[in-house]
Structures are given as C-alpha cells and as structure tokens.
Amino acid sequence: MTDYANLFRLDGKHVLVIGSGSGIGRESALALAAHGARVTCADRDLPAAEQTVAQGNGSQLVAYELDVLDDDAITRAVDELGDVDVLVFTAATNVRKRILDYTSEDFDRVVALNLRASFQLVRAFGKQMAERGSGSIIGFSSIRGTTVEPGQSVYAATKAGLVQLLRTAAAELGPSGVRVNAIAPGVVETPLTAQIKANQAWYDAYAQKGALGRWAGPEELAGAVVYLASDAASFVTGSVLAVDGGWTAVDGRFDPPN
C-alpha cells in the first residue's frame, strides 16, 4: 500500500539548492527542509546563504559557498558534499537590451550563468546520481522560454535552451533512475525583477497579463519544487511545469464583451 500521507516527505534525502541566498532559491530551501530534507544552501554569496539557514530549522540546513561559473568549484562540491539526492538550481541573470544593442560581453555573461553553468551542474551531479541509481534534478526555465518580448532575446534563448538540455538529460539519465524536470515561473517578485517593480506601469502591465491578475511571491514556487523532488513525482521526468498564474494560457491583452 502506498503511504499517501507521506507522499511529499523528503526525510533522509540530501538536497542541494543552488541560488538559495535569495528569492525562489531561498524559499525552496526552506520548504524542502520543512518536508524533512537535509538541505545544503549553496550560493556565491555565503552570507546570504547563511541568512537562509538562519530562517529555517538549523539542524536541517547548512550554508555552502559555491560559484557555479567556476568549473573547479563544481567539481569540489561533488567531492565535498557527498551523495546528493536532489539538485535544484535557480541562479540566473538577465541583460535587458534589444538585439542590436547587445554586446558580445553581454551575451557571454547571460549564457555563462543561465546555460553553461546549468550544463556543468547536470553533468557533475547527474553522473553521481546515475552511478547510485536514483536522483532528481530540477532546473528553472521561465515563461520567456515560450513567450518573448523586446529586450529578452538572449535570456529567452537560454531559458528555451535549458528546457531542451533538461529534456535530453531526462532521456539519457532516465534508464539509470534519475528524473530531470524544469519549472517555468511567470512573473515573480525577486531581485532579478526589481527593475520592473520599480516602474509602476511596467509592473501593472505584467500583473494584468496572467489569469490571476497579479505577480507571484517566491514562496509560491516552493510547492512545485517539493513536488518534483518527492516521490509524488516518481513518474514525472522530461516535463516543464508552468507556475505562471496562467500567463502562457491566456492572451491577456483585452477582455472582450459578451
């Protein structure tokens, strides 16, 4: 008999959350720990990761400094952290410019964090999971992997590329018992979207686009992370879970009369 009462429990699991110093990463780490996981809160900003630990159950969370742009640091993390049952990575950046204004340096900066670092993480921790015969990898795409607007070219390209990277990883690692999925958030109030929030017209326009007519708080993404990390999603792999308030489901431009 399946123990449905504990289907989302993560007791005994070691989860590594990268980007846990703020925003979605922080809330995900706290939610995973609340469901019984032992969580390593990794971030390039160690004091920020330590603040996340301070907000949760200290016995379940530990801070770890990790710069995912450093390949050697990722290799060290694999050795130092031991078995990782679940990998969650949320770190991303964006340079909002039109294509004709983009520089090669801008391009390299966005691709390096959003796509190349993700590739390196999947390779490093996916290998460990495949050898052990189990694991769950959760990466963060975006609505911009599906719908675009001016000024989002390279960011959108990396988020679409990440989906295909994770789908391929799901196909390759599935026979070894490793599940790989993406979450695609809509508009979420995080440090990455502070520029939009500072412009009331821009902020309101985004809020009105989705079916719910508002932005999400980062805590509203944590449930999706817990789900994909847990046995509740034991037959879910290669999927993109939209947590976007209906952004990609509705047109949003005009409410026609009856």
Side-chain angles (χ1 to χ4, degrees):
M1 294 290 292
T2 300
D3 183 5
Y4 289 116
N6 292 303
L7 198 58
F8 292 87
R9 293 296 302 176
L10 295 164
D11 303 275
K13 300 290 187 182
H14 178 200
V15 183
L16 171 61
V17 181
I18 295 170
S20 58
S22 64
I24 296 170
R26 169 171 288 175
E27 299 303 325
S28 296
L30 295 173
L32 290 160
H35 283 77
R38 177 170 59 90
V39 183
T40 296
C41 301
D43 202 284
R44 181 175 60 180
D45 183 347
L46 182 59
E50 291 172 339
Q51 289 175 13
T52 299
V53 171
Q55 291 183 25
N57 183 339
S59 64
Q60 294 294 109
L61 300 105
V62 63
Y64 184 84
E65 184 174 7
L66 176 60
D67 182 356
V68 295
L69 296 176
D70 183 344
D71 292 349
D72 292 336
I74 293 175
T75 300
R76 285 195 302 273
V78 172
D79 293 335
E80 292 175 358
L81 296 178
D83 289 345
V84 171
D85 300 295
V86 181
L87 169 67
V88 181
F89 49 96
T90 69
T93 191
N94 192 6
V95 175
R96 295 178 182 274
K97 290 182 181 179
R98 306 295 174 109
I99 291 173
L100 299 185
D101 296 325
Y102 239 81
T103 67
S104 297
E105 290 75 18
D106 294 332
F107 181 93
D108 291 343
R109 174 187 166 194
V110 177
V111 171
L113 181 57
N114 295 5
L115 197 54
R116 187 183 186 280
S118 300
F119 175 72
Q120 297 292 68
L121 289 166
V122 169
R123 287 207 307 167
F125 288 95
K127 181 176 185 295
Q128 175 201 73
M129 292 176 182
E131 291 173 348
R132 197 169 63 251
S134 66
S136 174
I137 297 174
I138 304 165
F140 272 77
S141 180
S142 167
I143 53 171
R144 294 302 173 213
T146 305
T147 61
V148 300
E149 67 178 2
Q152 296 274 24
S153 60
V154 181
Y155 180 81
T158 61
K159 291 304 185 178
L162 178 61
V163 167
Q164 295 301 78
L165 173 67
L166 295 177
R167 283 173 169 163
T168 305
E172 294 180 355
L173 300 177
S176 298
V178 181
R179 297 184 296 106
V180 187
N181 293 285
I183 295 173
V187 287
V188 185
E189 295 193 2
T190 70
L192 190 63
T193 55
Q195 177 188 5
I196 301 171
K197 189 174 182 179
N199 183 319
Q200 192 64 47
W202 196 358
Y203 180 88
D204 291 344
Y206 274 26
Q208 293 160 12
K209 169 64 174 73
L212 298 180
R214 63 177 178 84
W215 284 57
E219 70 280 359
E220 292 182 283
L221 277 295
V225 175
V226 171
Y227 165 64
L228 291 175
S230 73
D231 287 342
S234 60
F235 201 58
V236 179
T237 195
S239 295
V240 182
L241 177 55
V243 188
D244 65 1
W247 182 291
T248 53
V250 303
D251 189 306
R253 292 174 295 178
F254 179 66
D255 187 10
N258 290 329

